Amino acid sequence: MNSCYIFSDENLAYLKGIISTKFKKVAVLQIKISNEEQEKFINGKEKDFFIALIDKFEKQKEQNDFVIVVGCENFSVFGACELNLKIAKNLNCPVFEPRNFKALKALNPNSKLIISGDIDEILSCTQEIITPYKFENILLNRARNAHSSVVLPESDDERVLRAAEILLAQGAVDIVLLGEEAAIRQKQSELGLNLSKARIIDPQNNDYTQAFAAKIYELRKAKGVSEKDAERMARDKVYFATMLVNEGMVGAMVSGASMSTADTIRPALQIIKTKPQTKIVSGLFFMALEEEILLYADCAITPNPSAEELAGIAVITAQTAASFGLQPRVAMLSYSTADSGSGPDVEFVKLAAKKALEIEPDLSLAAPIQYDAAVDVKVGAKKMPNSSVAGRANVFIFPNLNCANICYKAVQRSANALAVGPVLQGLKKPVNDLSRGCLVEDIVNTVLISAIQAGE
């Protein structure tokens, strides 16, 4: 882990002495919370504090062999103990507490956070916690490193403009907005935003429409599209944005804040098309829970996939997980685990799993499996013993869109999870959809993911 967390500097000298015998460069990060930051906690704006702290901590880790984090002792909003545990989770730091570790464990009985009074256990542990704040920090830094551009065709939506301002201020991605420049600048002024770094293109008046129209005609004339139809399509903001992506003029497109999924994905299917050997486009959600990231698919596109299509969704979702630094452990879900039940729906999942392993023989997969057996180690050991996935799954493949969409929304609302997506899989170039009920934060995260995809 190369880091640990202590609640106060009471044990600092002792701990630093031990760690200095094992590591050359040992740093100490002291957590201090100002009165201004306390106000942010009171007003529910703690996110900025955690994102900044995670950044500071990661820089310390890059510059040193080991980092000891010393928590805050006095905090008036929450109990200092609960706050320190939350900070330790967000930094993925095991907690060294010689005296009260049993009491602290009792506060966090189901947590992955390692709390111990044994320094050797702390130094040898392999804890891996990714909180929603940590996940957003990962997305931001990876997007910055990707140096990509994303086009947002819905410049008439206030949420899109607010998200664009945040992204530009973060230096995360280059933004292209579509629309009449005067109208966008007027809206920017009314909202008090700074969009000076955004590039604005008017689909009705630009240097690209005629070339785009000619390309659309060549691509779609076999489907009955006339030259006049192609010119009309080239002036449509979503088709225009899709052509910007297709021609490599921007890296990705994000749309859907004020239009349907069909309106977003139809031009991409017609123009960008799917990857070779990919027969279906699917939509996944990154579900950022309190201590881990899960992937759910397909939550957005195909109502009733065939067994072959479901197999393809499982394989490509595992690939997406791996591309974001996760070790994919795939659960293909059913109302039955292993051979405990039978019926057409169970046999369907079994067949899809067989086809998935034919495509990717090394896929770490459990199927069919119930959700509880997929996420709970004790239940998984009982229902599917000897499985490396049961109880530890992080990629969940639902048998149909009905199940997937209901489940992701239930988890999002009931568990207060951060749901990022839908992220579309299977296209040659990244185009991603938004929910019409999306928040500014949702748009920001989807753009970051799109920028990362574009940079791969």
Side-chain angles (χ1 to χ4, degrees), residues 298-344:
D298 171 11
C299 303
I301 306 298
T302 305
N304 293 292
S306 66
E308 186 176 14
E309 289 171 335
L310 193 65
I313 292 170
V315 170
I316 199 168
T317 306
Q319 292 171 352
T320 300
S323 72
F324 279 85
L326 302 174
Q327 181 65 41
R329 297 182 293 273
V330 182
M332 298 188 73
L333 298 170
S334 173
Y335 64 77
S336 171
T337 296
D339 296 320
S340 64
S342 61

Side-chain angles (χ1 to χ4, degrees), residues 50 61 76 82 107 109 124 131 152 173 191 196 209 232 261-262 317 345 391 408 424 430:
F50 279 107
K61 285 184 69 177
S76 62
E82 287 82 355
L107 284 174
S124 62
T131 65
L152 306 174
V173 61
L191 296 172
S196 58
T209 299
R232 175 183 53 78
T261 296
T317 306
D345 290 340
Y408 107 74
L424 302 186

Side-chain angles (χ1 to χ4, degrees), residues 1 34 37 87 120 130 162 182 217 250 253 257 277-278 313 322 328 336-337 354 373 388-389 404 431 446 448:
M1 293 298 300
S34 66
E37 287 168 334
I87 294 172
D120 289 329
I130 303 178
R162 292 192 181 280
Y217 174 68
V250 297
M253 178 184 86
Q277 299 179 329
T278 301
I313 292 170
S336 171
T337 296
K354 180 182 176 183
S388 62
V389 172
V431 169
T446 302
L448 292 176

Side-chain angles (χ1 to χ4, degrees), residues 134-188:
K134 175 65 175 176
F135 183 59
E136 290 184 80
N137 180 262
I138 290 170
L139 294 182
L140 175 58
N141 286 314
R142 286 198 59 184
R144 281 174 175 159
N145 292 334
H147 304 293
S148 302
S149 57
V150 176
V151 58
L152 306 174
E154 298 164 303
S155 62
D156 53 344
D157 192 299
E158 177 181 329
R159 296 167 296 172
V160 171
L161 296 183
R162 292 192 181 280
E165 182 189 47
I166 292 169
L167 290 157
L168 291 168
Q170 292 173 332
V173 61
D174 292 333
I175 295 294
V176 176
L177 297 171
L178 298 189
E180 186 182 358
E181 182 162 5
I184 293 174
R185 295 303 181 196
Q186 176 64 30
K187 187 85 169 179
Q188 165 192 323

Side-chain angles (χ1 to χ4, degrees), residues 167-398:
L167 290 157
L168 291 168
Q170 292 173 332
V173 61
D174 292 333
I175 295 294
V176 176
L177 297 171
L178 298 189
E180 186 182 358
E181 182 162 5
I184 293 174
R185 295 303 181 196
Q186 176 64 30
K187 187 85 169 179
Q188 165 192 323
S189 178
E190 291 172 359
L191 296 172
L193 304 178
N194 179 3
L195 299 172
S196 58
K197 293 182 180 179
R199 182 185 179 194
I200 298 174
I201 304 176
D202 185 353
Q204 306 302 321
N205 183 20
N206 60 82
D207 296 330
Y208 313 117
T209 299
Q210 293 304 315
F212 285 179
K215 185 68 176 282
I216 292 171
Y217 174 68
E218 288 301 316
L219 289 170
R220 302 296 297 165
K221 64 183 180 181
K223 298 292 184 179
V225 172
S226 67
E227 291 182 346
K228 187 175 182 180
D229 293 332
E231 185 170 342
R232 175 183 53 78
M233 292 163 73
R235 296 183 186 279
D236 175 87
K237 61 184 180 182
V238 181
Y239 274 96
F240 187 90
T242 304
M243 285 301 299
L244 286 175
V245 176
N246 189 65
E247 299 303 296
M249 300 170 71
V250 297
M253 178 184 86
V254 172
S255 182
S258 57
M259 63 184 67
S260 69
T261 296
D263 288 335
T264 294
I265 196 173
R266 186 184 301 110
L269 290 172
Q270 292 175 349
I271 294 168
I272 296 174
K273 304 184 186 301
T274 58
K275 295 177 180 178
Q277 299 179 329
T278 301
K279 297 182 178 181
I280 189 171
V281 173
S282 58
L284 72 83
F285 275 84
F286 287 95
M287 305 298 295
L289 303 181
E290 186 178 355
E291 296 184 359
E292 62 184 340
I293 306 299
L294 306 178
L295 280 70
Y296 287 3
D298 171 11
C299 303
I301 306 298
T302 305
N304 293 292
S306 66
E308 186 176 14
E309 289 171 335
L310 193 65
I313 292 170
V315 170
I316 199 168
T317 306
Q319 292 171 352
T320 300
S323 72
F324 279 85
L326 302 174
Q327 181 65 41
R329 297 182 293 273
V330 182
M332 298 188 73
L333 298 170
S334 173
Y335 64 77
S336 171
T337 296
D339 296 320
S340 64
S342 61
D345 290 340
V346 177
E347 296 306 314
F348 167 73
V349 175
K350 286 182 179 179
L351 178 59
K354 180 182 176 183
K355 289 181 177 294
L357 290 172
E358 289 172 356
I359 299 169
E360 184 54 68
D362 294 330
L363 191 65
S364 183
L365 182 148
I369 189 169
Q370 293 161 288
Y371 197 98
D372 60 346
V375 298
D376 189 295
V377 173
K378 291 181 180 178
V379 177
K382 185 180 294 183
K383 292 188 174 184
M384 192 176 274
N386 303 318
S387 169
S388 62
V389 172
R392 302 174 61 246
N394 57 5
V395 175
F396 296 82
I397 307 301
F398 294 83

